[in-house]
Amino acid sequence: MGMISRVRGRIRSDSFSKFHSIKSEDKIANIVWLISIVFLLPYWAPRGLLVALGGAWLMAAYTCLVLPLLISANYRYPARWYPAVAKVARKVARRLRAPTARVLRVLKAAYAPIDRAEKLFLQMNNLSTMISQLLIFTACDRLLVFRGRLTCLYSLMFYNVITYSVNYVREICTKEDWSPYVNVTRHSRVKHLAMSATKIVLEWTKAVTFIVTMTFILLTLGLEQGLEHFRPTALYTTITGTYYLLSEKTFLELWPIALSALKLERLEGMETLYCGVWARGITTAIAVPLVPMLAWNERWRLAFLIIYICIIVHGRHRLGEALFKLNEAQGSLARFRRATAQELSTLEDVCAVCLGTMKSARVTPCAHFFHADCLRKCLATSDRCPICVREYVFC
């Protein structure tokens, strides 16, 4: 009898503890839910309480610190009605799947002319890039510079001057023909007087323009204390400079060259594709946080233009195109395994395509080793091995 009573008491105590723990978790879930509502109240305050107290940066810092905590707390202690709401939402989504697909097809057909206009706009590369830069610079001007009304225009002018100087220096470094004369034909030694005179005038004009431009920059930055409305802050210069360097065509062509000099074997000779994805991704990421900050400052038209041009148009087309090219290149190489360090050390051979040493390589099914970039270029023209001319057969 004593043993039976002890077993009954232990069962009662265990069941009570389980009931008590469930009740305690429900209390914690309700408390977390109420605290979440309290912490979200500043977002609903008239004219933005956080912006009024400390500006847009206080709102951004508050968002980055508070929202992750609230989401993780509600995920850890979900209220009883969370699963019911999720179940109802899934049921409604299943019922609306077919009508939503029909609506999306109609919207896609209606959006087709706009899509063609966007692609035509992006084909005008210089114009589309300049408009996106001007929008980002203007947004930074409105948010980060308080008394500099023309800071965005002055900044864009200075960056363009620097780009011109970089282009001129690059042209000098890569120039092969230093002769000031132009021959009548490629294999003739007879000088074409008119074309030679034109070439000499153009070269001297470029040199004089470069000297005048550099002198102007030195005088403006060295002797003058600053232009009348040009008051950039360090954060403004960092954001605008980064966006310009990652969106201007001249620097987009230079970044892969600089990355190739590092000789990172992990990139497998696809520096141009990786730089395109990184540049488009970073510029889109710079534009995204500017939109809510402009909305809090009631700059609705500028916020809409940045959403449409800098995020939707440039992000969807240019970033999407860069990602597609990178995924296509990686997909073509995914069938071929990477060579191990032991295989490369025992091979002591060169790539049969470029005749360069192989620190990393891909192995074909016929046991031939190639650089990944060389193999990718060969795959673009033929699906056969460049050495034994056999078709690739994968098990």
Side-chain angles (χ1 to χ4, degrees):
M1 293 296 293
M3 183 180 295
I4 294 174
S5 61
R6 284 197 298 270
V7 170
R8 286 178 179 176
R10 183 168 297 177
I11 292 173
R12 290 173 183 173
S13 62
D14 291 342
S15 61
F16 179 76
S17 63
K18 291 180 181 178
F19 177 76
H20 181 71
S21 64
I22 294 173
K23 188 175 181 180
S24 176
E25 288 184 359
D26 287 342
K27 287 182 179 180
I28 294 174
N30 292 329
I31 293 171
V32 167
W33 180 66
L34 292 174
I35 291 177
S36 301
I37 294 177
V38 173
F39 276 100
L40 292 175
L41 285 178
Y43 292 100
W44 302 97
R47 296 191 63 81
L49 178 62
L50 296 175
V51 177
L53 292 176
W57 289 108
L58 178 60
M59 183 197 71
Y62 184 83
T63 302
C64 294
L65 292 175
V66 172
L67 286 186
L69 293 176
L70 295 182
I71 293 172
S72 61
N74 282 275
Y75 181 79
R76 176 67 179 81
Y77 299 102
R80 282 181 176 270
W81 50 272
Y82 285 178
V85 172
K87 185 178 180 180
V88 172
R90 285 195 295 268
K91 187 182 295 184
V92 172
R94 283 195 298 268
R95 291 183 178 180
L96 294 179
R97 186 176 299 170
T100 303
R102 287 194 292 268
V103 171
L104 288 177
R105 285 196 296 269
V106 173
L107 292 177
K108 186 177 180 180
Y111 190 74
I114 302 176
D115 184 70
R116 289 193 294 268
E118 292 174 355
K119 293 179 179 178
L120 181 63
F121 171 72
L122 291 176
Q123 288 177 1
M124 299 181 286
N125 187 41
N126 293 333
L127 178 63
S128 60
T129 301
M130 186 186 67
I131 290 176
S132 65
Q133 291 170 355
L134 190 58
L135 287 173
I136 296 297
F137 284 29
T138 305
C140 293
D141 199 349
R142 298 292 184 271
L143 296 171
L144 305 176
V145 183
F146 301 101
R147 284 186 252 178
R149 291 176 295 176
L150 299 175
T151 302
C152 59
L153 297 179
Y154 285 131
S155 300
L156 189 58
M157 180 188 68
F158 279 123
Y159 293 153
N160 284 325
V161 168
I162 294 173
T163 303
Y164 168 77
S165 303
V166 170
N167 273 325
Y168 184 74
V169 173
R170 179 186 177 187
E171 181 181 350
I172 291 177
C173 294
T174 58
K175 192 172 184 179
E176 296 180 357
D177 183 16
W178 288 89
S179 174
Y181 304 108
V182 178
N183 296 332
V184 176
T185 61
R186 178 179 298 179
H187 302 289
S188 175
R189 294 184 179 181
V190 180
K191 305 296 187 295
H192 195 299
L193 297 180
M195 295 297 295
S196 299
T198 304
K199 182 178 179 181
I200 293 171
V201 171
L202 286 175
E203 294 297 332
W204 276 103
T205 303
K206 290 180 182 179
V208 171
T209 304
F210 176 74
I211 294 171
V212 171
T213 301
M214 297 304 297
T215 305
F216 169 74
I217 293 176
L218 294 175
L219 288 175
T220 303
L221 300 179
L223 300 180
E224 298 288 338
Q225 297 300 319
L227 299 175
E228 183 180 358
H229 299 291
F230 186 63
R231 297 182 178 87
T233 60
L235 183 60
Y236 174 89
T237 305
T238 302
I239 295 176
T240 55
T242 303
Y243 191 89
Y244 187 87
L245 291 175
L246 295 177
S247 60
E248 188 63 26
K249 180 181 178 181
T250 300
F251 296 101
L252 287 176
E253 295 173 353
L254 291 176
W255 292 128
I257 299 175
L259 192 60
S260 299
L262 299 177
K263 297 181 180 179
L264 301 176
E265 299 296 335
R266 292 287 300 174
L267 301 183
E268 295 185 316
M270 295 185 289
E271 287 84 358
T272 303
L273 300 178
Y274 278 103
C275 282
V277 172
W278 294 340
R280 304 303 184 190
I282 293 174
T283 51
T284 305
I286 289 175
V288 168
L290 296 177
V291 175
M293 297 168 64
L294 289 170
W296 278 103
N297 287 273
E298 299 182 356
R299 305 278 183 178
W300 301 106
R301 285 179 294 183
L302 185 57
F304 173 76
L305 288 174
I306 290 179
I307 289 176
Y308 181 66
I309 295 179
C310 300
I311 298 177
I312 296 178
V313 176
H314 283 268
R316 187 167 66 92
H317 290 284
R318 288 186 171 169
L319 179 59
E321 182 182 358
L323 283 171
F324 175 77
K325 290 181 178 178
L326 179 61
N327 292 331
E328 185 180 22
Q330 291 177 339
S332 64
L333 294 175
R335 300 176 297 170
F336 305 92
R337 68 176 182 87
R338 294 175 183 266
T340 63
Q342 184 178 2
E343 289 175 333
L344 292 174
S345 62
T346 57
L347 184 65
E348 295 182 356
D349 198 359
V350 296
C351 175
V353 178
C354 66
L355 301 180
T357 58
M358 289 186 290
K359 295 182 180 179
S360 66
R362 294 276 183 164
V363 185
T364 63
C366 47
H368 291 126
F369 293 73
F370 301 97
H371 286 138
D373 190 45
C374 298
L375 180 60
R376 184 170 59 86
K377 291 177 181 177
C378 293
L379 290 172
T381 58
S382 175
D383 201 23
R384 293 176 177 269
C385 176
I387 296 180
C388 61
V389 201
R390 295 179 183 174
E391 289 188 2
Y392 296 125
V393 178
F394 298 92
C395 298

